[in-house]
Amino acid sequence: MLALFLGALDQTIVATALPKIVQDLEGLSRYAWVATAYLLASTSLVPIYGKLADTHNRRTIEMWAVGLFLLGSFLCGLSGEFGRLPILGDGMSQLIVFRGIQGLGAAGLFAMTFIIIADLYPPADRGKYQGFVGATFGVASVVGPLVGGFLTDHATGVIPGVEGWRWVFYVNLPFGALALWFIIRRMPDLRPPGERRSLDYVLALMLIAGLVPLILALQLDKSRFTWLPRVDPGTGGYAWESFVTLVLGALALVMLTVFVIRTRRGDNPILDLSLFKNRVFSTANLAAFFSGAGFLSIMIFLPLFVVRVLDVSATRAGISLIPLSFGLVAGSTVAGQLVSRYGHYRRLLLGSVAILFVGVVLLVGLTPDVSYWRVTVYMMICGIGVGPTFPLYPLAVQNAVGREKLGQATSASQFSRQIGGTVGTALMGTVLATSLAASFAVVQWDAHGRDTELVPDAQRRFQSTGGAELVAEVQARFDRKYALTERAVLEDDDGARQALLSDAELSQHFKTELRALDRSNAPRALAGFKAQLDADASRIATEITRTVRAALTTAITRVYFFVAFFVAAAWIVTLFLPELPLRKTHHGGA
């Protein structure tokens, strides 16, 4: 649990500090690669850790995973400290590489947790302990953003010359040292049954060579949509049909096909394909794939709604996720206790996924004027629904396989959830962007509160600033109109007057007053013109803000509409999940 907390905490604590990190390292254009490098390593290595756990001392593997993670954390904290380095490049490039090293360790932290718990406790008792896994994730998701923000803002100068954000990585070291101490002093050897066999390194490379381009193709920005009519394809991004995406997808398909062929012919597979003949294994992993896709999509897109539509601070947006975390902790812990007491995991899963579906349906009904507190209630419902899926899908898989394949089966369950989240967020990101693009393609602001000058680039600017840039542009334009008004009134500039009279945005009342201007009262009249211009600017800015928030709400609720299909698919698949009696010993399985 300590090792798992280490990895779970890192996922949330770094996200909070990342804006400051990329500012200091001058790497805004490579912002996304910090997360992508970690994701590539932590996802693609999960099956390999599972295979190693079936053939080697599990305590040793756990120690290596923690050690790699701590090494990556220490190196991340040093990124850019010594300037540009040979091969590694500047500080931002160093951080990306070192996050990859962190990810190599994180894959083991996540995979080995379930495997070690399975080694220590038989299935009948295992649920209540695996329930603590979801609780650990929940606590980390609450603590991480708070600690990350605090360290970034206030830890600078604790050691002279060390920026606060570096402590976001250094804080892992004492936690990791404590975890290592417990592992070395308290954890038994946990040697797997059967003969010890070396890893098939060629097969491992094939698997990595297939998973890395697959994950990369899914994670690349899909902000271009050249097949959509009336939508500006924009600049940047890698559309689904772009050359880069297609090449990565083709490479992934080829390498994974070669991996399957070699696996079928070899006698030392990383993932024994015969496991897919086990109905519990295949059904539970498919359900975990869909539930992972739904859950991660909820987590990622809700803060966007809270910040951009409800106009709350980033801190309150983070706080809005706390009820989800509390729900997740409660759902995971209670489900683990119930399954250990009564032994019925399918009923609990069906009930919990149904609750999750209800939560998603409530999110589909979000409106721009929904209250912040109602959103937090919806998130708690989602957390209660998704919590039991964390321990129970792996438990069902472990209960159905023999101990000699426990590592492979468990890591496959973990991998299914992670790759589901990756696929789900990639698809939902496309839904969000296409929905926004379609909405902004038909929006036309005119003189009655809409502004045609803002249309061509409105979507990009609203996504980056939440409408603040658009509103600022309206105010700047009306400030220029006021400058023209000053010239027309105080300097009797006929050109400025004609420009104002022909301006479609200005009200007829303003123009009438301008035509009837009494020169002897020009300074006092100017104050009235200023008030009218400010009122018009405020009216148009309010209309723009209302319109773009409505567009974003429509896009996000459309995302949740499709997320509901992921959750419904998870429920339907779970309906066909065979329920085997939970074994009271470590022996048995299919």
Side-chain angles (χ1 to χ4, degrees):
M1 289 297 102
L2 281 170
L4 177 67
F5 181 74
L6 191 68
L9 182 70
D10 185 77
Q11 288 185 327
T12 55
I13 197 173
V14 173
T16 308
L18 202 51
K20 177 62 175 174
I21 294 173
V22 298
Q23 177 184 332
D24 283 1
L25 298 182
E26 299 180 354
L28 183 60
S29 62
R30 289 166 285 170
Y31 185 104
W33 284 100
V34 177
T36 300
Y38 183 89
L39 180 68
L40 287 172
S42 62
T43 302
S44 59
L45 266 290
V46 166
I48 293 174
Y49 272 104
K51 174 61 178 178
L52 290 172
D54 281 342
T55 57
H56 293 74
N57 185 321
R58 289 161 184 173
R59 184 179 72 167
T60 302
I61 298 170
E62 179 78 349
M63 290 169 59
W64 273 100
V66 175
L68 268 175
F69 185 84
L70 294 181
L71 174 63
S73 298
F74 179 69
L75 292 175
C76 285
L78 292 178
S79 298
E81 280 278 40
F82 305 103
R84 192 176 188 88
L85 298 177
I87 301 177
L88 292 176
D90 64 6
M92 195 65 183
S93 297
Q94 295 167 33
L95 178 64
I96 292 168
V97 172
F98 298 151
R99 282 289 281 170
I101 295 175
Q102 259 193 316
L104 296 177
L109 300 185
F110 298 135
M112 294 304 297
T113 297
F114 284 102
I115 295 171
I116 289 171
I117 292 175
D119 236 6
L120 293 172
Y121 306 101
D125 299 325
R126 194 177 298 158
K128 58 186 176 183
Y129 296 103
Q130 290 193 164
F132 296 145
V133 171
T136 300
F137 272 103
V139 171
S141 65
V142 173
V143 173
L146 299 177
V147 174
F150 178 81
L151 292 176
T152 302
D153 293 338
H154 303 291
T156 299
V158 171
I159 295 179
V162 178
E163 296 91 340
W165 63 261
R166 298 186 186 276
W167 288 103
V168 166
F169 298 106
Y170 294 149
V171 76
N172 290 329
L173 302 181
F175 277 109
L178 182 62
L180 277 176
W181 183 86
F182 270 105
I183 292 168
I184 294 170
R185 294 293 301 273
R186 300 296 183 183
M187 185 180 289
D189 266 354
L190 301 179
R191 297 182 184 276
E195 63 176 319
R196 176 173 174 173
R197 306 185 67 179
S198 297
L199 180 70
D200 186 335
Y201 293 102
V202 174
L203 197 59
L205 287 174
M206 288 179 177
L207 178 62
I208 294 172
L211 291 178
V212 167
L214 173 63
I215 297 168
L216 196 57
L218 293 169
Q219 285 294 300
L220 288 176
D221 178 19
K222 299 295 185 300
S223 60
R224 294 176 61 190
F225 309 97
T226 57
W227 71 87
L228 285 177
R230 302 177 62 198
V231 176
D232 180 10
T235 59
Y238 299 88
W240 289 102
E241 82 281 18
S242 70
F243 177 77
V244 172
T245 303
L246 292 176
V247 168
L248 288 171
L251 178 60
L253 179 63
V254 169
M255 295 309 302
L256 291 176
T257 301
V258 173
F259 169 79
V260 171
I261 293 173
R262 182 179 173 93
T263 297
R264 292 173 63 91
R265 294 177 178 176
D267 60 352
N268 186 26
I270 288 176
L271 177 62
D272 191 338
L273 299 182
S274 66
L275 286 170
F276 288 96
K277 298 177 182 178
N278 184 317
R279 277 190 61 203
V280 175
F281 176 88
S282 55
T283 307
N285 283 338
L286 183 59
F289 174 91
F290 285 123
S291 67
F295 174 63
L296 196 58
S297 297
I298 293 170
M299 285 283 291
I300 286 178
F301 295 106
L302 182 87
L304 178 65
F305 175 84
V306 173
V307 172
R308 297 301 189 216
V309 177
L310 301 188
D311 197 27
V312 305
S313 66
T315 300
R316 289 193 72 194
I319 292 173
S320 71
L321 294 177
I322 292 179
L324 183 144
S325 301
F326 282 147
L328 193 155
V329 170
S332 177
T333 305
V334 171
Q337 296 292 325
L338 290 176
V339 76
S340 291
R341 177 171 296 185
Y342 300 109
H344 298 293
Y345 55 77
R346 188 176 69 173
R347 297 177 190 176
L348 286 169
L349 282 168
L350 287 172
S352 66
V353 177
I355 293 172
L356 176 60
F357 182 79
V358 170
V360 175
V361 169
L362 291 172
L363 292 175
V364 173
L366 290 174
T367 61
D369 57 351
V370 68
S371 71
Y372 173 83
W373 298 110
R374 180 175 294 183
V375 174
T376 61
V377 171
Y378 295 169
M379 294 307 291
M380 180 172 286
I381 293 172
C382 290
I384 292 172
V386 80
T389 68
F390 277 85
L392 297 189
Y393 283 128
L395 176 64
V397 168
Q398 293 169 344
N399 185 60
V401 303
R403 195 177 183 188
E404 70 281 358
K405 297 178 182 177
L406 185 63
Q408 297 175 57
T410 304
S411 64
S413 180
Q414 177 71 24
F415 177 78
S416 296
R417 179 182 291 277
Q418 289 185 217
I419 202 69
T422 303
V423 172
T425 53
L427 293 175
M428 293 305 99
T430 299
V431 170
L432 177 72
T434 51
S435 298
L436 280 175
S439 297
F440 277 94
V442 298
V443 169
Q444 294 290 323
W445 287 289
D446 57 27
H448 300 290
R450 301 187 173 191
D451 175 15
T452 56
E453 294 179 24
L454 299 179
V455 172
D457 206 22
Q459 180 191 348
R460 179 191 62 77
R461 284 182 284 175
F462 179 68
Q463 285 179 278
S464 63
T465 67
E469 186 176 335
L470 296 177
V471 171
E473 187 166 334
V474 170
Q475 187 60 54
R477 192 170 63 258
F478 272 81
D479 287 343
R480 291 194 293 271
K481 295 179 194 298
Y482 179 68
L484 279 177
T485 305
E486 285 186 314
R487 286 164 50 191
V489 172
L490 300 179
E491 301 175 18
D492 198 19
D493 187 324
D494 190 58
R497 182 183 302 103
Q498 291 304 316
L500 292 169
L501 293 175
S502 62
D503 192 327
E505 281 191 315
L506 298 179
S507 65
Q508 287 302 317
H509 177 72
F510 178 94
K511 295 175 182 178
T512 300
E513 291 291 323
L514 185 63
R515 290 192 186 98
L517 176 66
D518 182 355
R519 300 295 173 193
S520 64
N521 197 31
R524 182 176 300 176
L526 192 62
F529 287 139
K530 172 63 173 172
Q532 289 186 48
L533 290 173
D534 287 345
D536 285 342
S538 177
R539 173 177 52 81
I540 293 178
T542 299
E543 175 65 16
I544 289 174
T545 301
R546 186 196 64 79
T547 302
V548 293
R549 285 179 178 170
L552 186 55
T553 300
T554 299
I556 292 178
T557 53
R558 187 167 297 174
V559 166
Y560 287 136
F561 174 79
F562 286 103
V563 168
F565 283 94
F566 284 137
V567 178
W571 191 89
I572 293 170
V573 172
T574 303
L575 192 63
F576 294 95
L577 175 65
E579 185 164 45
L580 304 180
L582 294 180
R583 292 182 277 111
K584 298 184 182 300
T585 69
H586 282 294
H587 304 292

